[in-house]
Amino acid sequence: MVNSLIKKSSLFLLGFVFFNSITIQAQKSNRIWYKEPASSWEETLPLGNGRLGLTPDSGISTESIVLNDITLWSGQPQDANNYEAHTYLPEIRHLLFKGENDKAEALINAHFICEGAGSGNGNGANVPFGSYQTLGELSINFDYESKMPLAIKNYKRELNIDNALAQCSYELDGTTYTREYFASFDDDISIIKLSADTPGKLNLTINLDRPERYETSTHQNELVMSGQLNNGTDGKGMRYKVKIGAKLKDGKLSTIDNGLKIQDATEVILYISAATDFKNTDFEKSVDKLLKDAEAKSYKDQKARHINNFHKLYKRVSVNLGETSRADLPTDERLDAFTKKPEEDDDLGKLYFQFGRYLSISSTRVGLLPPNLQGLWAQHVQTPWNADYHLDVNVEMNHWALEAANLSELNLPLKDLVAGMVPNGQKTAKAYYDADGWIAHVITNVWGYTAPGEVASWGISNAGSGWVCNNLWQHYAFTEDVDYLKEIYPIIKGSAEFYNSMLVKDPVTGWSVTAPSVSPENSFYLPNGKEAHVCMGPTIDNQIARELFTHVIQASEKLNIDAAFREKIKQKLEQLPPPGIVGEDGRIMEWLRPYKEVDPHHRHLSHLYGLYPANLITPEHTPDLAVAAAKTLEARGDDGPSWSIAYKILFWARLKDGNRAYKLLTDILRPTLDTNMNYGAGGGVYPNLLSAGPPFQIDGNFGATAGIAEMLLQSHAGFIELLPALPDSWKTSGSYNGLKARGGFTINVKWEDGKVTDYKIMSPDQKPVKVKVNGKLIDIVSSKL
Ligand code: FUC
């Protein structure tokens, strides 16, 4: 069997030992823990089962738990297209041809933006765009019959990432109190078990509320909260219901004014069932049924099934990046210590990586919604930026780790969201560009929004729909699932049709380019000294069109369809600008003209799209562009909101600079409690390891997770590369099992002193594959998975 893996016998000369499974040395569990209750939401522990979320603060006198349901949005479907917009297109383009971008921008602001309030300037809770909202807050008030201040001993709370379970425990007056929390991957319900090791010591009341639009009631010892959100017009938006039931060991359960009261119990199991009417008219019945089903099972059984289901995804990957003496430090102290001496805690990188995988499994599920800007954890009714799906980097970044991190199916909810945008996107393409196909601009929501935003500066990027098509493609590139390719083909073709029919000839260069567009959220100085955003052919659009056309050509060849369209876009491909143009300063140009950027340290680096997530710029195939990309990154600087830092980890990993990628990983792990909205420097991490833009934005978590994977394994340049960007810090020894590469490969690797010592490349069918190992490119045949 070993021999069948090897095509070139020279491989033996390299001295590799193939093995069936790499034994990862026994490691401590991945957990985050603290010696105090959370004093802010940014310290609470995020739990979720892909639909329901909860963030307990594990308070001693009062436990406050923010509850979430990923479907709970205000707003409603709307048509925000301005159907007159396309009549202004010739004039807008004429002004751009003349270099009068400022005038074109004014015209766009007057006639080429959305109808209505758009995103509500990022505060869309009460306009039709809507906002993702908290489901509410559960409070548990404890009565200890003890003197104040309470003499608490041995307090501890933790999130066990490996089992998707949170716990807290403490002692008071000789009694140990324990709480265990999980969002069940079994019965789709949240469960909290409270216990005391002295009989009858649990005395508490339970309440539910939310900042607005709710009413509570009790029926037969159950607590119910229900309400209807604002749809932005007549107030009759999405409906929701939460129902709490309790099972007791000892003691008495009764109802009080809009709450539950429990006296003298030894153990209490709380079941929190919730649903909305998003694509579920029978949601009230589902709430009741889920509660009944869960209560019918033993706690032990429910918990075992929960862990088992979670493990089906989580356990596919194990990683060891090195030693630490700090695994036993409380996480807040560990983060502080890491900032001072990162080299003593290589294990934190692994923890952050597995935490990212944990967050993906917890915040999305097949058949539902993709993680939004906050995953599924939100504490407000007006969540920052509506916690929408930003298409100019954020929602794409939320999915970048999934394939390599062996959670491939969690990409499917994004595919579903995108499929749902297409019909609106077709109307938008006609309304604004009189174009075929479909387009989405910068923001979308669960209601399928595709119109531009409310101002030109950020709202009219043409890149959104093409960019998500990259995500859709990556799932195919990794899985080679032809049925899936058939399913996405009309979507990616429709996006290519849009670019194909709207590109115009730039009078200066003769290239076919988008017009009007922007380089996401960035501005520049025109030769007349005025600031503008609007332009033709920003580099990202050129790269996206090039990549998308190439993918559609490949897909139509693979599926053997659409030969005529394929020929059309093959010709169009010839007319596109090159994947990158190096300016006089040695950097990749962000715009078609050598404009000077207003903010040289701007957070977005859209003109490096070709480096990541696309593969248009690689050190192997386009060395000059790779050098220019490095220069671009140097000029932009390392800092930014956390998603921007995460993106830079990925860029430097692709440039094979492991130490720089690692330095950025240390930057993104800078502890902070800042929640003020940030567009500049200062990204970091909250005590609970959620990423701080600030405020909390989950793309920083997912982007960094993808970045770590990219440091360990790459497969975008026509071959698999093992340890392409291993930083000095992780060199001593390490291993991983179960990471994925394009082509359907599963990979195990072990290393010592920065050199691969063992590896295994597996696929369902054995097939030839090119692999770069310790700097040498070799041909092998994969082993059977
Ligand atoms: C884009 C970014 C901001 C923020 C927002 C949600 O607008 O430029 O930094 O991440 O999305």
Side-chain angles (χ1 to χ4, degrees):
M1 190 204 150
V2 166
N3 281 334
S4 72
L5 299 177
I6 297 158
K7 207 168 169 191
K8 284 194 172 166
S9 56
S10 61
L11 207 58
F12 280 117
L13 301 177
L14 297 171
F16 289 112
V17 182
F18 287 84
F19 51 95
N20 283 324
S21 77
I22 292 167
T23 346
I24 302 244
Q25 70 188 69
Q27 286 182 67
K28 295 213 163 171
S29 59
N30 291 298
R31 63 177 189 142
I32 56 178
W33 78 280
Y34 313 84
K35 287 186 189 156
E36 310 276 343
S39 53
S40 67
W41 185 74
E42 287 70 23
E43 296 174 38
T44 59
L45 303 176
L47 291 159
N49 67 3
R51 183 175 73 89
L52 300 174
L54 66 162
T55 49
D57 73 354
S58 302
I60 294 164
S61 295
T62 302
E63 162 92 73
S64 302
I65 304 178
V66 174
L67 304 175
N68 289 107
D69 177 318
I70 197 165
T71 62
L72 189 65
W73 271 75
S74 62
Q76 62 177 315
Q78 63 170 328
D79 187 344
N81 293 314
N82 171 0
Y83 289 95
E84 298 298 308
H86 67 95
T87 61
Y88 295 90
L89 192 61
E91 179 60 11
I92 292 166
R93 286 181 170 161
H94 182 64
L95 290 166
L96 288 172
F97 290 162
K98 288 200 293 180
E100 296 181 7
N101 302 47
D102 47 338
K103 290 190 185 146
E105 189 156 337
L107 201 54
I108 288 172
N109 277 326
H111 301 290
F112 207 79
I113 51 165
C114 59
E115 290 284 279
S119 73
N121 200 17
N123 292 299
N126 293 310
V127 301
F129 186 87
S131 175
Y132 178 61
Q133 303 200 344
T134 178
L135 180 60
E137 190 163 310
L138 165 67
S139 318
I140 310 174
N141 288 293
F142 293 88
D143 179 1
Y144 295 106
E145 296 164 353
S146 181
K147 265 196 264 148
M148 297 299 274
L150 299 172
I152 299 291
K153 284 197 222 144
N154 296 326
Y155 180 92
K156 192 177 116 189
R157 67 188 172 100
E158 76 164 40
L159 172 64
N160 182 322
I161 293 162
D162 297 335
N163 286 336
L165 273 181
Q167 266 178 339
C168 82
S169 60
Y170 50 92
E171 291 163 35
L172 177 63
D173 299 335
T175 297
T176 300
Y177 294 87
T178 311
R179 298 176 211 161
E180 194 163 56
Y181 320 72
F182 59 98
S184 183
F185 284 98
D186 182 30
D187 269 326
D188 203 5
I189 191 163
S190 299
I191 299 180
I192 305 171
K193 182 178 155 200
L194 314 159
S195 42
D197 70 353
T198 311
K201 283 285 177 185
L202 287 172
N203 288 287
L204 48 106
T205 55
I206 297 163
N207 294 92
L208 276 170
D209 65 16
R210 81 189 292 280
E212 61 176 32
R213 293 175 174 267
Y214 75 105
E215 55 186 42
T216 50
S217 58
T218 53
H219 305 280
Q220 297 172 339
N221 285 345
E222 289 173 336
L223 174 61
V224 176
M225 178 170 76
S226 57
Q228 184 162 31
L229 305 194
N230 192 357
N231 61 358
T233 48
D234 64 4
K236 294 192 176 138
M238 197 183 282
R239 294 165 64 209
Y240 68 90
K241 177 170 157 180
V242 187
K243 193 173 197 184
I244 299 186
K247 274 206 302 198
L248 269 55
K249 182 174 168 194
D250 306 330
K252 191 180 154 212
L253 170 65
S254 56
T255 54
I256 45 166
D257 224 14
N258 291 330
L260 301 179
K261 181 171 180 154
I262 290 164
Q263 288 161 287
D264 306 324
T266 308
E267 189 179 285
V268 178
I269 305 170
L270 295 178
Y271 297 87
I272 306 141
S273 183
T276 74
D277 69 354
F278 180 70
K279 297 187 181 168
N280 180 9
T281 40
D282 266 351
F283 72 107
E284 287 168 306
K285 278 196 196 133
S286 346
V287 171
D288 298 345
K289 179 166 172 9
L290 288 169
L291 183 60
K292 264 213 178 89
D293 290 351
E295 284 180 337
K297 268 184 205 153
S298 77
Y299 179 79
K300 204 173 148 206
D301 191 25
Q302 178 81 233
K303 181 174 153 184
R305 285 160 182 261
H306 160 72
I307 294 174
N308 192 40
N309 285 346
F310 171 70
H311 281 177
K312 283 181 196 158
L313 291 166
Y314 181 78
K315 287 261 170 153
R316 291 175 185 167
V317 173
S318 55
V319 178
N320 173 16
L321 298 178
E323 298 298 315
T324 182
S325 53
R326 300 203 192 125
D328 289 329
L329 276 185
T331 307
D332 41 354
E333 291 174 32
R334 189 173 175 183
L335 284 171
D336 285 340
F338 185 76
T339 299
K340 287 175 203 128
K341 280 194 175 174
E343 64 279 7
E344 286 177 15
D345 196 354
D346 295 333
D347 183 65
L348 190 64
K350 178 207 70 180
L351 177 69
Y352 204 52
F353 178 73
Q354 290 292 32
F355 184 60
R357 295 184 66 249
Y358 163 85
L359 291 174
S360 289
I361 300 167
S362 304
S363 63
T364 185
R365 67 162 68 152
V366 177
L368 208 57
L369 289 165
N372 58 48
L373 273 174
Q374 297 205 168
L376 60 50
W377 296 280
Q379 59 170 326
H380 298 119
V381 292
Q382 180 54 72
T383 309
W385 292 287
N386 304 317
D388 65 15
Y389 297 104
H390 260 58
L391 299 167
D392 65 349
V393 70
N394 316 85
V395 75
E396 290 89 353
M397 183 175 280
N398 281 0
H399 294 78
W400 283 343
L402 292 174
E403 296 295 335
N406 210 335
L407 297 171
S408 179
E409 63 269 62
L410 297 184
N411 256 320
L412 299 177
L414 179 66
K415 182 259 303 165
D416 295 342
L417 186 89
V418 175
M421 287 154 63
V422 171
N424 282 347
Q426 288 168 339
K427 290 187 198 157
T428 304
K430 279 270 170 287
Y432 290 81
Y433 307 92
D434 198 14
D436 300 336
W438 70 280
I439 179 177
H441 293 83
V442 182
I443 44 170
T444 191
N445 53 13
V446 294
W447 311 117
Y449 187 95
T450 53
E454 54 268 31
V455 274
S457 62
W458 59 266
I460 61 141
S461 165
N462 281 181
S465 33
W467 196 329
V468 279
C469 285
N470 169 281
N471 288 72
L472 267 49
W473 179 262
Q474 295 308 329
H475 182 74
Y476 170 70
F478 275 81
T479 61
E480 296 194 336
D481 177 345
V482 177
D483 289 336
Y484 168 82
L485 184 63
K486 282 184 194 151
E487 206 186 328
I488 64 162
Y489 182 74
I491 304 176
I492 62 173
K493 180 189 172 193
S495 181
E497 279 176 315
F498 168 76
Y499 293 106
N500 180 53
S501 82
M502 75 81 78
L503 294 178
V504 292
K505 198 169 171 181
D506 167 31
V508 178
T509 61
W511 288 320
S512 289
V513 294
T514 54
S517 193
V518 294
S519 185
E521 305 185 30
N522 207 356
S523 61
F524 52 84
Y525 293 111
L526 287 165
N528 66 11
K530 290 199 176 136
E531 185 180 341
H533 303 81
V534 170
C535 64
M536 293 190 292
T539 298
I540 184 169
D541 288 8
N542 307 333
Q543 293 172 339
I544 281 178
R546 172 172 293 278
E547 185 201 35
L548 180 65
F549 287 178
T550 309
H551 289 160
V552 173
I553 291 166
Q554 284 171 15
S556 73
E557 276 166 356
K558 176 85 194 170
L559 302 175
N560 201 15
I561 48 174
D562 267 349
F565 182 66
R566 189 191 314 147
E567 281 318 306
K568 242 199 248 173
I569 53 173
K570 270 189 180 164
Q571 281 168 23
K572 214 25 124 24
L573 199 52
E574 301 291 311
Q575 298 159 19
L576 296 178
I581 306 167
V582 182
E584 276 181 6
D585 54 11
R587 292 187 282 154
I588 306 263
M589 283 169 62
E590 183 160 357
W591 296 277
L592 208 49
R593 313 273 183 258
Y595 301 133
K596 195 171 157 347
E597 68 269 64
V598 173
D599 174 6
H601 303 302
H602 196 270
R603 60 196 178 281
H604 283 268
L605 276 135
S606 312
H607 45 320
L608 297 189
Y609 176 91
L611 176 62
Y612 190 97
N615 62 355
L616 300 170
I617 301 175
T618 62
E620 291 84 4
H621 303 306
T622 60
D624 295 347
L625 289 180
V627 169
K631 244 191 164 156
T632 309
L633 283 164
E634 291 293 2
R636 215 53 148 215
D638 285 354
D639 220 330
S642 57
W643 67 260
S644 175
I645 300 173
Y647 207 169
K648 289 161 193 161
I649 299 176
L650 284 151
F651 287 138
W652 284 111
R654 283 267 169 113
L655 292 172
K656 316 281 167 74
D657 190 336
N659 285 341
R660 188 63 173 266
Y662 181 79
K663 187 259 169 194
L664 285 149
L665 182 63
T666 64
D667 289 349
I668 207 170
L669 285 168
R670 286 179 305 220
T672 181
L673 273 170
D674 190 358
T675 55
N676 292 316
M677 208 173 259
N678 167 49
Y679 287 95
V685 72
Y686 292 122
N688 60 6
L689 291 193
L690 288 179
S691 194
F696 164 45
Q697 225 173 273
I698 206 157
D699 40 24
N701 287 99
F702 292 143
T705 307
I708 293 168
E710 206 71 17
M711 290 158 81
L712 300 174
L713 175 68
Q714 292 178 17
S715 62
H716 59 281
F719 55 90
I720 291 174
E721 183 164 2
L722 309 181
L723 309 184
L726 195 68
D728 291 344
S729 195
W730 296 346
K731 278 192 172 151
T732 316
S733 71
S735 55
Y736 58 79
N737 277 357
L739 293 186
K740 286 279 193 176
R742 287 170 185 79
F745 298 102
T746 305
I747 303 196
N748 298 347
V749 174
K750 200 168 184 179
W751 67 91
E752 304 268 347
D753 296 325
K755 294 268 175 256
V756 174
T757 52
D758 291 321
Y759 69 93
K760 183 159 191 184
I761 299 186
M762 297 159 282
S763 51
D765 294 316
Q766 289 186 262
K767 54 181 179 177
V769 55
K770 279 192 186 318
V771 194
K772 201 180 218 182
V773 192
N774 296 332
K776 284 212 170 65
L777 200 56
I778 53 175
D779 290 292
I780 64 160
V781 174
S782 62
S783 61
K784 197 155 171 56
L785 189 62

